[in-house]
Amino acid sequence: MNDTVLGHAQTASLTSDDLSAIAWAATRAPSVHNTQPWALRARPDGLEVHEDLTRALPVVDRFGRGRLISCGAATYSATVAVAHLGWAPQTALLPDPVNPRHLANVTARAPQPPTADDERLYAAIAHRRTHRRVFMPAPPRRDLTEALVEAVRGHGAWLHVVVPARRERLADLLWRAARAQADDEAFRAEIGGWLRVAGEGTDGVPIGSLGTAPYPIDGLVTGTLPAGEGTPEWVAEELGRATVAVLFTRGDDPADWLRAGMALQHLLLLATADGLVASFADQPVQQTRMRPELAATLGEPGHAQAIIRLGEPLVTVPPTPRRPLDEVFLR
Ligand SMILES: Cc1cc2nc3c(=O)[nH]c(=O)nc-3n(C[C@H](O)[C@H](O)[C@H](O)COP(=O)(O)O)c2cc1C
């Protein structure tokens, strides 16, 4: 099938194969608990990205911040696919003032051959995974870290790479946030509702994708934490196996969350292309009241949106499922 969906003067006329390829790329994006909270609409020259409120997490993600970050990540992947197909991508965030659920348009503009960097990012889409396993002890890669910092800045966000001297304070925040989540029955129940037996379903987190790294390092609360005061020393030690980076934005509204998602996915694809893996240690940003404390701990004036562990993998992890594209497209 290679039929032209619609032509339009001075804009791309994408085929239905092109649109499927862009939608495929968008839907490989990471999303909070693999809820895949997006709905797509095909346009003659690109894709509309909408949020799907039926896939919300009212306890874990009360304000929809994680949902919009996820949709921002999908939006970024769509732009990478447009570039791969030979067009200059253009993104408009929140393009419809009367419909806040319409989050983005990704449009193919003038023809433009993909660069080697575009192709590297595109190739990484299929390989990126959330890696909740122990990382190999390896020194941080300064060259790559600089590239990640630069990429994030291009989306109007910034990356704080945590220096060893601040690791213990971050470990303490992480432990306290993890304890709050582990002690919160409603929180645990909502996450539990998105866990899946391997091989079952088209969304949620398969049991096989859970961590071998101990909680909270693996990122996902699945049980309770040992009782006792204070943060165990191993939390900071485990963090030390990774490069830990915190993504910040200046504001904290839906447009900032979408930009954070685009920056996050750019960072993750760049890291994947370089053979690194990443996972989330997001508990302190999921606990709304701890976000200012996290920013203060790192001496940052902005709003923390994600805490990412980056490192060298010891093993590979399987892909998580995705809904079929015909379920994702709005009619
Ligand atoms: C905004 C956001 C927040 C996330 N938070 C967590 C988290 O707290 N813990 C975790 O283990 N994974 C987290 N994830 C990763 C998702 O669970 C993961 O993307 C999803 O299960 C799909 O798997 P994949 O990334 O391997 O494709 C988060 C992802 C996004 C986009």
Side-chain angles (χ1 to χ4, degrees):
M1 182 171 53
N2 210 18
D3 49 323
T4 298
V5 171
L6 247 182
H8 197 278
Q10 293 180 325
T11 56
S13 52
L14 297 175
T15 66
S16 55
D17 278 357
D18 290 341
L19 288 163
S20 296
I22 299 166
W24 174 86
T27 55
R28 295 312 99 179
S31 62
V32 56
H33 303 312
N34 201 20
T35 49
Q36 305 165 48
W38 41 66
L40 306 176
R41 176 171 282 131
R43 297 160 63 101
D45 56 356
L47 272 190
E48 292 179 6
V49 180
H50 296 250
E51 67 177 322
D52 180 349
L53 289 178
T54 66
R55 313 186 71 77
L57 297 169
V59 179
V60 173
D61 186 33
R62 198 166 134 213
F63 302 105
R65 197 181 56 81
R67 184 168 67 246
L68 263 65
I69 292 178
S70 308
C71 290
T75 300
Y76 181 71
S77 285
T79 70
V80 173
V82 167
H84 163 73
L85 290 169
W87 301 94
Q90 192 178 59
T91 308
L93 298 182
L94 300 168
D96 184 348
V98 296
N99 180 9
R101 310 275 163 251
H102 182 171
L103 301 180
N105 287 340
V106 176
T107 308
R109 286 289 163 205
Q112 176 180 280
T115 64
D117 285 345
D118 292 333
E119 295 295 42
R120 263 165 59 80
L121 290 174
Y122 181 76
I125 288 175
H127 301 295
R128 186 212 53 79
R129 315 255 187 278
T130 299
H131 194 96
R132 300 184 185 87
R133 310 288 153 103
V134 174
F135 291 174
M136 206 142 76
R141 300 250 316 274
R142 197 176 296 275
D143 55 329
L144 180 63
T145 310
E146 279 167 15
L148 301 181
V149 166
E150 195 60 36
V152 165
R153 200 178 291 138
H155 298 276
W158 72 95
L159 197 65
H160 180 114
V161 180
V162 179
V163 294
R166 289 206 164 120
R167 208 179 278 145
E168 266 180 38
R169 290 184 67 188
L170 180 65
D172 183 47
L173 258 177
L174 184 58
W175 186 257
R176 281 193 282 129
R179 176 168 298 290
Q181 292 188 354
D183 290 347
D184 182 337
E185 230 171 88
F187 198 102
R188 286 211 317 274
E190 190 167 85
I191 289 189
W194 286 90
L195 290 182
R196 303 282 184 262
V197 174
E200 264 182 20
T202 57
D203 59 11
V205 180
I207 301 284
S209 298
L210 293 182
T212 51
Y215 185 72
I217 298 300
D218 67 344
L220 211 56
V221 57
T222 46
T224 49
L225 288 178
E229 291 300 310
T231 305
E233 271 174 28
W234 61 260
V235 180
E237 280 161 23
E238 283 289 341
L239 284 179
R241 285 171 176 265
T243 298
V244 180
V246 184
L247 182 64
F248 280 93
T249 53
R250 193 152 304 285
D252 200 27
D253 62 20
D256 294 301
W257 301 337
L258 289 168
R259 276 192 283 272
M262 294 186 73
L264 171 71
Q265 180 67 342
H266 194 168
L267 175 165
L268 294 174
L269 292 181
L270 273 177
T272 304
D274 250 319
L276 292 193
V277 290
S279 70
F280 295 77
D282 253 9
Q283 293 85 359
V285 294
Q286 287 167 349
Q287 298 299 107
T288 305
R289 68 195 158 77
M290 285 194 179
R291 292 175 70 208
E293 192 180 344
L294 172 62
T297 298
L298 300 177
E300 291 289 358
H303 299 268
Q305 304 294 355
I307 306 177
I308 303 136
R309 289 166 66 228
L310 288 153
E312 310 261 352
L314 274 167
V315 291
T316 54
V317 298
T320 50
R322 291 296 185 275
R323 289 180 296 150
L325 288 186
D326 58 357
E327 284 182 22
V328 178
F329 273 108
L330 288 166
R331 289 170 209 290

